[in-house]
């Protein structure tokens, strides 16, 4: 089973991540061939598997590390991530994900929503079969609610010209950072890590997630379709104004209005003109500065975790991911 080449430098982690995908496959038991085939396509689409990787790593921070249990928890978190991606694509009306057509673009919105809902069920099936306490499941359910609230906040802010940096950070805190925090926390919980370690892991995950999403939004303005694996500048066309644009518009909104008022009618030429304005008014530069601050906060929290090879890997992976170009 092939996974993203980034894990070639971490053979033990690579082996466990392959087991994560095998575990997910074993739990996909649905008669509808379209749903089954699309889920399997997602499993093998070459995603980075960052969230399950952080589960597997932080699971080694506690005194009762069990590789089978950590793989199960990592599998549940990856399935949860897959479900949110499917629903996110429906909301954003995105045609491509990781270089392949999205489920709703192939089979329609209803099929996509049902597929996402089914994956939520699979997540809790895996988790309930391996979780050692109701508390762990309860924490996951509460955090899923926060993730969904992040999506709702994004919908509420669509096409709002006066969306603030604070609005944006609140949105990505729920939509993206919450799942990274949940991954790091759940891994530590699975090995009975002490309370202080649990919340250090959770904080590290939160800061990683914040920086990750900011970098992702920066790449929307600096990357290409092929490099990013999805259409660049699609978010702004759908009314989702991210940090580089928000920063650039703070003192120059009048320059952006003629373009943004076109909404879905924006052409490729309009989008490129928008990208030029964002860079001209230092939107990308300011966003990078904030991403760097969150990266430093993440590194600081990781250093607080108990020492070990897993922690060294966390540091290395975090730095490579937050310095990525695609």
């Amino acid at each position: 089973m092939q996974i993203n080449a980034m894990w070639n430098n971490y053979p033990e982690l690579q082996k466990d991540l392959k087991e994560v995908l095998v575990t997910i496959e074993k739990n996909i038991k649905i008669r509808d061939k379209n749903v089954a085939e699309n889920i399997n396509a997602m499993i093998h689409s070459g995603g980075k598997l960052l969230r399950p990787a952080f589960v597997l790593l932080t699971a080694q921070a506690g005194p009762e590390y069990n590789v089978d249990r950590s793989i199960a928890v990592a599998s549940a978190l990856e399935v949860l991530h897959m479900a949110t991606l499917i629903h996110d694509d429906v909301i954003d009306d995105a045609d491509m994900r990781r270089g392949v057509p999205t489920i709703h673009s192939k089979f329609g919105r209803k099929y996509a929503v049902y597929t996402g809902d089914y994956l939520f069920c699979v997540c809790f099936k895996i988790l309930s079969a391996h979780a050692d306490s109701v508390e762990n499941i309860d924490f996951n359910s509460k955090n899923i609610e926060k993730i969904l609230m992040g999506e709702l906040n994004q919908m509420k802010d669509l096409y709002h010209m006066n969306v603030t940096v604070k609005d944006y950070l609140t949105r990505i805190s729920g939509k993206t950072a919450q799942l990274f925090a949940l991954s790091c926390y759940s891994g530590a919980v699975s090995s009975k890590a002490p309370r202080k370690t649990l919340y250090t892991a959770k904080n590290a995950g939160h800061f990683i997630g914040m920086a990750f999403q900011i970098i992702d939004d920066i790449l929307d303005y600096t990357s290409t379709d092929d490099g990013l694996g999805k259409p660049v500048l699609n978010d702004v066309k759908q009314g989702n104004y991210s940090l580089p644009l928000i920063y650039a518009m703070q003192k120059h909104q009048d320059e952006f209005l003629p373009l943004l008022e076109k909404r879905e009618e924006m052409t490729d030429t309009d989008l490129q003109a928008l990208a030029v304005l964002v860079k001209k008014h230092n939107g990308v530069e300011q966003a990078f500065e904030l991403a760097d601050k969150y990266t430093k906060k993440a590194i600081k929290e990781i250093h607080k975790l108990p020492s070990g090879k897993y922690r060294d890997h966390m540091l290395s992976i975090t730095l490579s991911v937050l310095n990525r170009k695609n």
Side-chain angles (χ1 to χ4, degrees), residues 196-256:
K196 182 178 180 181
T197 300
L198 295 181
Y199 286 95
T200 298
K202 178 185 175 184
N203 288 338
H206 171 79
F207 294 133
I208 290 169
M210 295 295 284
F212 180 88
Q213 186 60 58
I214 293 171
I215 294 295
D216 205 48
D217 290 334
I218 289 170
L219 291 173
D220 207 30
Y221 287 89
T222 62
S223 189
T224 62
D225 287 6
D226 291 339
L228 200 56
K230 62 181 182 179
V232 296
L233 295 174
N234 188 61
D235 281 349
V236 68
K237 194 172 184 179
Q238 299 297 329
N240 178 17
Y241 302 154
S242 59
L243 191 61
L245 176 59
I246 294 169
Y247 272 136
M249 282 202 300
Q250 283 181 333
K251 297 180 180 179
H252 307 277
Q253 191 179 86
D254 290 347
E255 292 184 48
F256 290 88

Side-chain angles (χ1 to χ4, degrees), residues 76 121-133 137:
C121 296
V122 173
C123 167
F124 281 102
K125 180 174 73 171
I126 297 172
L127 196 61
S128 62
H130 295 86
D132 289 336
S133 69
I137 298 176

Side-chain angles (χ1 to χ4, degrees), residues 1-8 10-25 43-44 47-57 67 70-71 74-75 78 317:
M1 179 176 290
Q2 296 295 317
I3 62 173
N4 195 288
M6 69 175 288
W7 302 114
N8 290 344
Y10 309 92
E12 293 179 10
L13 188 55
Q14 183 184 58
K15 175 178 175 291
D16 290 343
L17 285 171
K18 289 181 179 179
E19 285 301 314
V20 165
L21 298 185
V22 169
T23 299
I24 295 172
E25 281 189 317
I43 293 171
H44 299 287
K48 292 185 175 69
L49 301 176
L50 290 172
R51 294 148 191 87
F54 283 120
V55 173
L56 296 169
L57 290 168
V67 64
S70 67
I71 286 172
S75 302
E78 179 61 11
I317 292 165

Side-chain angles (χ1 to χ4, degrees), residues 28 30-41:
I28 303 301
I30 188 167
R31 293 181 180 178
D32 191 296
K33 290 184 178 180
N34 285 335
V35 173
E37 288 175 4
N38 278 286
I39 291 174
N40 282 324

Side-chain angles (χ1 to χ4, degrees), residues 79-103:
V79 169
L80 172 59
H81 179 229
M82 290 166 61
T84 62
L85 288 181
I86 292 171
H87 286 172
D88 193 33
D89 286 337
V90 172
I91 293 169
D92 293 344
D93 200 24
D95 293 330
M96 302 291 289
R97 166 73 65 177
R98 296 173 182 168
V100 299
T102 55
I103 292 175

Side-chain angles (χ1 to χ4, degrees), residues 170-186:
T170 298
R171 181 206 311 162
I172 70 168
S173 177
K175 181 184 175 184
T176 304
Q178 197 67 40
L179 192 49
F180 276 95
L182 178 58
S183 298
C184 291
Y185 179 94
S186 296

